[in-house]
């Protein structure tokens, strides 16, 4: 064996061994220079082939080819390894942590006024009433005249309202204008509806009154509807709202659009009729106004008062909601304070 053959074999072994400690792209480059670069033993042997004796040439040629092929195979394997390792490192370093918990959306609640409304809808729904919507911005005619309050009639003073820029257009002060709207749409059919919605009055803002509040109107029209029907319906409503034993009473009252008119009280559900701060010592809470629909109103609605009769009622729900949840200030309802709303 020629001396150079031994050297090439040793070079191959040394190269393979040196490759073991190579761990990154830079040291790999240095290794390439050392074992396969211009000054490497392998390349020097190639360069000196011309000077070799004829019979040595195939032997040394074979040996150098073997050494070079061996080094290159080892290099290729190493390159693969380094690539895989750096990829692995990128995978662990750069991955998205998909387990990050998401942000919890804030869950809304049903506003306390709407809790009350839903309860009212359910009770009257069971009694066969439909819900009818009518406009919050009304004409003077619907808000007053058709309800038996002609222009300049002093009864209008009971409902101090907001006027708009447009003549004859006001913000409705009660849901009663809806009575005439339903009648005009339905006449001469029987009517059994409730009309819920926002109403507005020009009032001072206090803990007990707001310029904006919600009313629910009741209207029943048909042949032979009596005051007793009204009383029965309202009592049923009161019992289902305030409890089976809730006592009620009707007091005579006045509204231009009903005749006779009354106001209904329910026994104070805070003190049970004993008298407390909520009922101002009377033992009773006023919950609604009501009465038999006035003939003039029936006529404006397209019904002949000689043939048809009906009853109507109107209740504000803000105050009863205050009492129901022991809320100390009516202004909380429309302040948009989430700390208040979260309690329901
Ligand atoms: N609209 C009246 C009010 O707001 C209440 C009412 C409605 C009275 C229907 C009688 C009949 O005060």
């Amino acid at each position: 064996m020629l001396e150079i053959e031994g050297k090439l074999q040793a070079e191959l072994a040394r190269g393979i061994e040196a490759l073991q400690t190579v761990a990154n792209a830079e040291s790999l480059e240095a290794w390439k220079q050392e074992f396969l670069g211009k000054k490497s033993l392998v390349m020097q042997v190639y360069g000196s082939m011309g000077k070799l004796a004829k019979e040595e040439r195939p032997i040394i040629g074979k040996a150098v080819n073997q050494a070079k092929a061996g080094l290159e195979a080892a290099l290729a394997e190493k390159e693969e390894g380094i690539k895989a390792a750096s990829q692995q490192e990128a995978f662990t370093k750069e991955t998205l942590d998909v387990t990050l918990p998401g942000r919890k959306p804030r869950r809304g609640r049903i506003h306390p006024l709407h809790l009350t409304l839903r309860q009212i809808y359910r009770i009257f729904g069971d009694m066969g009433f439909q819900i009818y919507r009518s406009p919050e911005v009304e004409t003077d005619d619907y808000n007053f005249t058709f309800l038996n309050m002609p222009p300049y009639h002093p009864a209008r003073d009971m409902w101090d309202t907001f006027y708009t820029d447009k003549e004859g257009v006001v913000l409705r002060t009660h849901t009663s204008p809806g009575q005439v709207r339903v009648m005009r749409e339905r006449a001469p059919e029987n009517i059994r509806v409730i009309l819920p919605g926002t109403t507005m009055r020009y009032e001072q803002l206090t803990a007990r009154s707001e310029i904006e509040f919600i009313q629910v109107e009741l209207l029943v029209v048909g042949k032979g509807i009596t005051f007793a029907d009204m009383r029965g319906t309202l009592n049923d409503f009161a019992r289902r709202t305030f409890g089976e034993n809730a006592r009620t009473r009707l007091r005579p009252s006045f509204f231009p659009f009903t005749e006779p008119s009354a106001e209904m009280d329910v026994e104070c559900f805070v003190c049970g009729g004993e008298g407390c701060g909520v009922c101002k010592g009377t033992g009773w809470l006023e919950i609604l106004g009501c009465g038999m629909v006035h003939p003039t109103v029936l006529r404006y609605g397209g019904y002949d008062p000689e043939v048809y009769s009906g009853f109507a009622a109107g209740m504000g729900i803000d105050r009863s909601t205050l009492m129901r949840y022991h809320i100390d200030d009516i202004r909380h309802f429309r302040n948009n304070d989430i700390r208040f709303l979260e309690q329901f």
Side-chain angles (χ1 to χ4, degrees), residues 147 158-159 173-177 179 201 213 215-218 254-255 257-258 261-262 288-291 311-315:
L147 293 173
M158 286 165 69
W159 289 274
T173 55
H174 47 180
T175 42
S176 300
Q179 289 185 28
R201 284 184 200 175
F213 55 103
Q215 278 194 339
V216 179
E217 191 89 4
L218 215 69
F254 169 73
F255 298 103
F257 35 91
T258 47
S261 303
L288 53 82
C290 56
F311 70 82
M315 62 185 115

Side-chain angles (χ1 to χ4, degrees), residues 237-254:
F237 165 70
R239 284 203 205 97
R240 290 200 50 185
T241 305
F242 303 105
E244 204 43 52
N245 301 317
R247 293 205 303 155
T248 60
R249 72 176 184 189
L250 287 178
R251 281 180 290 109
S253 186
F254 169 73

